[in-house]
Amino acid sequence: MVSVRLNVSRLAPVLLLVAIAPLAACEGCPAQRPASAPGTEDHAAAMTVAERLGQWDFATLIETAPVPLHGGGEIGIRAADCAACHQDIHREWSQSTHAAAMRDPQFIAELAKHDSPRWLCVSCHAPLQDQHPVRLQSDTLLLGATDTALGNPEPVPHPGFDPALAEEAVTCASCHVRLYEDGRGTILGARGDTDAPHRVTVDAASLRNACARCHTPGEGLLTPTFPCWFETDAELAAGPHADRDCASCHMPGTHRPIALGSPPRDTVHHFWAGGGVPKDFPGYETLLDRGWHPGFSATVGPPRAAADGTRVRLDLHNDRAGHAVPTADPERHLRIHVRLESADGRLLDHATHRIGQEWHWGDSLRNDPARRLDDNRLAPGERRELSFTLADAPEDASVVVEILHVRLAPENLRYARATPIDDDLLRHRADAAEVVAELERHYPSFTYVFAERWPVGGGPPVRASLAELVERSAAAQEWTVTDLEQAIDGSGGRALPPP
């Protein structure tokens, strides 16, 4: 019987010097889960790391090893090793959010916060043990008295540390390589392939469930101000697409050779386009090629005059996402703007609506834990009708409805820009301090996902294409933080130019 060992060491995450100079508490910064409420010294001191984090698979780094070749020798587990044969898959992965997970400047700014549990956060962004220079000596150490550092375990040097592998973040081996019963590596594949030059273990179920390790840890707090409220798996299970998994939508099928010289066959893409907000502005150039489209549909009714002004109806339908919209990161939300514009493009009136979670983000210096206050996200399959009332409209005016998928609110962008980046974090990205200081020029805060204009006097509507929305979103690289703020609150910025 084939035996594959998954996650061999019970807790082997890296410790990245948690203690740094205190900062002001973040007013809107996400992170990840425990079953019991943190926030008291007695609670923290009474629990071991394993007791606190044992329910989370992501708390354990993945053990891997080079994979033996059938003709003798072995192949390494870096993405470059895989690219020697799997060129198309490597190209797709290299454009993905996964490949950028450790270069993500917002993530680096989050790690720099005084109460960031760095070793735990990076266990998702770089989940392989060999991506980390140290490992924990044991899993029986008590948590720190303030419950913010999540323990101060004694690290020991890890001889298998591979700096080049570390730069790859969520790399091929994160899903496809595990330890075999002989202590060497094996490739997890969806089906057996007798022509593969390396060992393959067929385990389609593990591959299709690999996303859950980091993307659906559940709900709770890692530290008082770090909520990790990723409930995507539960949302999927409760919705109309419960018979599907993440790969069903996020890894669309294709027919092609999976390796050089192999015959074409049914396989999947490795783009993971996600919600449509890339990790950098160049990411917009390939967003549509990677298959991105919004997870919901929007239908605008023609504006009509009423006694109290101009009425506009918007129907939303979460018809394509198997999970809530938006899901995952609790800071993500949709901003809906309904604008009344004059014939020359002046803003006459506007209304706005927010769809997402509302949080009190807490203050670790005051022992004030974060907590969710409200949640009005679109459930899977849900239809929702929204009605807006604007001022009386001139006949030559038009109504414009815009929807933005917001990842980083302006107040949190300002906080991140002011966060000092210490030397330990610069090894992940040498220019991190400069990039974070000008975050708005490097890191998209939102993407326009819908825009439609209706002439008040009658006539057909004009809807922006996805290509136009992506182009307009990419143009925000030249905006100031104030410009971004006005676009997100609806008082400025436009997805559709004046007619």
Side-chain angles (χ1 to χ4, degrees):
M1 177 181 295
V2 173
S3 172
V4 179
R5 289 186 289 155
L6 305 181
N7 298 332
V8 172
S9 60
R10 180 52 248 159
L11 191 70
V14 62
L15 178 69
L16 289 180
L17 302 177
V18 175
I20 55 178
L23 304 174
C26 178
E27 291 299 323
C29 308
Q32 308 186 43
R33 151 183 180 189
S36 51
T40 65
E41 293 188 8
D42 289 344
H43 164 79
M47 301 181 72
T48 67
V49 173
E51 289 169 340
R52 170 71 183 274
L53 306 176
Q55 72 270 37
W56 290 322
D57 288 340
F58 71 81
T60 303
L61 290 178
I62 298 168
E63 297 279 8
T64 58
V67 178
L69 297 169
H70 295 316
E74 60 187 21
I75 187 169
I77 62 171
R78 296 177 184 173
D81 297 319
C82 303
C85 293
H86 302 283
Q87 294 181 348
D88 287 343
I89 294 174
H90 180 270
R91 174 182 54 81
E92 293 170 0
W93 164 82
S94 66
Q95 298 172 11
S96 73
T97 297
H98 287 162
M102 286 305 298
R103 302 193 307 273
D104 179 342
Q106 185 196 11
F107 176 65
I108 291 175
E110 291 285 328
L111 292 181
K113 288 166 36 177
H114 82 280
D115 59 349
S116 169
R118 294 192 190 186
W119 61 266
L120 197 54
C121 295
V122 297
S123 68
C124 273
H125 285 242
L128 305 178
Q129 176 62 76
D130 289 349
Q131 293 178 305
H132 302 283
V134 298
R135 61 192 308 151
L136 298 189
Q137 215 163 12
S138 74
D139 63 353
T140 59
L141 300 160
L142 293 178
L143 295 174
T146 62
D147 198 25
T148 58
L150 289 178
N152 188 23
E154 297 179 12
V156 296
H158 175 48
F161 172 55
D162 182 345
L165 184 67
E167 294 179 3
E168 296 178 358
V170 184
T171 186
C172 311
S174 304
C175 297
H176 284 280
V177 180
R178 295 295 184 271
L179 284 183
Y180 196 70
E181 57 188 356
D182 61 4
R184 303 174 76 187
T186 189
I187 304 292
L188 297 188
R191 58 174 66 87
D193 189 344
T194 57
D195 295 327
H198 50 66
R199 179 159 59 194
V200 176
T201 297
V202 180
D203 194 344
S206 289
L207 287 174
R208 299 191 76 87
N209 291 322
C211 313
R213 178 183 182 274
C214 291
H215 285 279
T216 60
E219 59 184 63
L221 300 177
L222 288 184
T223 76
T225 58
F226 269 74
C228 179
W229 228 261
F230 284 38
E231 304 164 290
T232 308
D233 209 26
E235 296 162 6
L236 177 63
H241 305 299
D243 58 332
R244 303 183 188 178
D245 54 30
C246 306
S248 300
C249 296
H250 291 278
M251 300 183 73
T254 185
H255 188 78
R256 66 178 179 196
I258 67 165
L260 291 176
S262 66
R265 74 181 197 191
D266 291 337
T267 183
V268 294
H269 283 298
H270 289 67
F271 285 125
W272 305 287
V277 191
K279 291 297 185 183
D280 54 29
F281 282 97
Y284 281 117
E285 297 173 7
T286 62
L287 187 59
L288 294 181
D289 292 338
R290 288 184 278 141
W292 171 74
H293 57 76
F296 64 93
S297 298
T299 304
V300 181
R304 60 182 183 86
D308 55 350
T310 303
R311 295 281 183 86
V312 181
R313 191 190 78 248
L314 172 64
D315 294 317
L316 300 175
H317 184 199
N318 182 359
D319 54 348
R320 291 192 290 269
H323 47 67
V325 171
T327 192
D329 185 339
E331 188 178 354
R332 288 179 180 265
H333 62 277
L334 301 181
R335 281 292 184 123
I336 300 170
H337 302 313
V338 182
R339 305 159 59 93
L340 180 64
E341 297 183 357
S342 66
D344 59 359
R346 289 181 297 109
L347 182 63
L348 302 178
D349 195 11
H350 82 277
T352 187
H353 182 69
R354 186 184 188 278
I355 294 179
Q357 302 180 58
E358 293 278 1
W359 279 78
H360 167 71
W361 297 108
D363 185 338
S364 61
L365 301 180
R366 296 180 176 87
N367 200 27
D368 176 19
R371 55 192 177 274
R372 183 163 63 176
L373 305 176
D374 192 22
D375 182 1
N376 70 344
R377 292 175 297 161
L378 290 170
E382 179 183 355
R383 293 179 181 270
R384 186 180 302 178
E385 180 180 310
L386 301 175
S387 181
F388 301 86
T389 302
L390 302 174
D392 290 330
E395 278 291 306
D396 61 351
S398 58
V399 169
V400 178
V401 177
E402 298 175 344
I403 304 179
L404 292 68
H405 180 160
V406 181
R407 177 176 60 196
L408 184 62
E411 61 269 25
N412 300 328
L413 174 63
R414 288 189 173 94
Y415 177 89
R417 291 170 82 243
T419 302
I421 306 299
D422 59 80
D423 291 343
D424 183 61
L425 295 175
L426 295 180
R427 72 180 184 85
H428 299 305
R429 180 166 181 162
D431 64 348
E434 293 83 1
V435 169
V436 168
E438 294 186 319
L439 194 56
E440 70 279 9
R441 301 295 300 276
H442 301 275
Y443 194 73
S445 295
F446 69 86
T447 292
Y448 289 109
V449 296
F450 178 86
E452 187 166 280
R453 178 186 299 277
W454 278 85
V456 170
V462 176
R463 178 177 293 195
S465 67
L466 288 184
E468 291 170 325
L469 294 172
V470 167
E471 180 180 4
R472 184 56 174 158
S473 302
Q477 185 174 19
E478 303 302 321
W479 294 2
T480 65
V481 180
T482 299
D483 294 332
L484 294 171
E485 188 170 41
Q486 292 175 348
I488 291 173
D489 71 18
S491 62
R494 279 191 177 93
L496 279 173

